[in-house]
Amino acid sequence: MPKKSFQSLFTTLVLLFALGSMAYVVLSEGAASGAVDPAPASPVTELIVYYMDMGKDCTTCQNLEVYTREVLEAHFKNDLTRGRVEWRRVDVDLAANTHFVDEFRLYTKAVVLVRFEGGRQTEYRSLSRIWELVYDKEAYMNYVRGEVRAALDGREKAD
């Protein structure tokens, strides 16, 4: 094989590898970050707990997500396992997810509880006190736990 032909083949293979690697990274990051609009709730799902992410994360913002997940895993593990409750993290900065901003009237990162009956959305509740309580982990977790419990029980708000 002539030297020039070998160099051309080698260059083409390197470029294809680089493009393939870039495509893999972009597509896998998109799926991991919630780039795709989440699927509708299954018929057994009664509540989706969304963490609506936007912009850069500070420590406080990270705590909003971490504390909420901790509440769900500690107090609603069976509901998560059975599919009665679903946890979803959504990046609303992505074009496919911007509809959530209007739908849930978002202006910053939020935790939103969305109730379902038979796979159809019936109501939603944005947990407005998370920013007030995030600096007191116990109070934050009690608030979120109470709101999730109230939503599952069909009550308006937690006591």
Side-chain angles (χ1 to χ4, degrees), residues 40-106:
S42 75
V44 298
T45 301
E46 293 179 33
L47 185 71
I48 294 179
V49 180
Y50 285 107
Y51 174 66
M52 299 298 186
D53 189 27
M54 57 180 70
K56 299 226 182 258
D57 277 344
C58 63
T59 302
T60 302
C61 300
Q62 291 170 352
N63 287 341
L64 295 172
E65 180 178 5
V66 169
Y67 295 170
T68 304
R69 286 189 72 155
E70 283 183 30
V71 167
L72 295 175
E73 291 167 2
H75 300 283
F76 301 96
K77 189 166 190 73
N78 288 337
D79 294 310
L80 287 166
T81 302
R82 291 188 351 243
R84 182 178 184 211
V85 174
E86 290 184 29
W87 164 257
R88 295 187 183 177
R89 181 183 192 281
V90 177
D91 183 347
V92 296
D93 285 333
L94 299 170
N97 298 328
T98 57
H99 67 92
F100 286 113
V101 174
D102 292 330
E103 186 177 347
F104 299 139
R105 300 182 191 150
L106 303 174

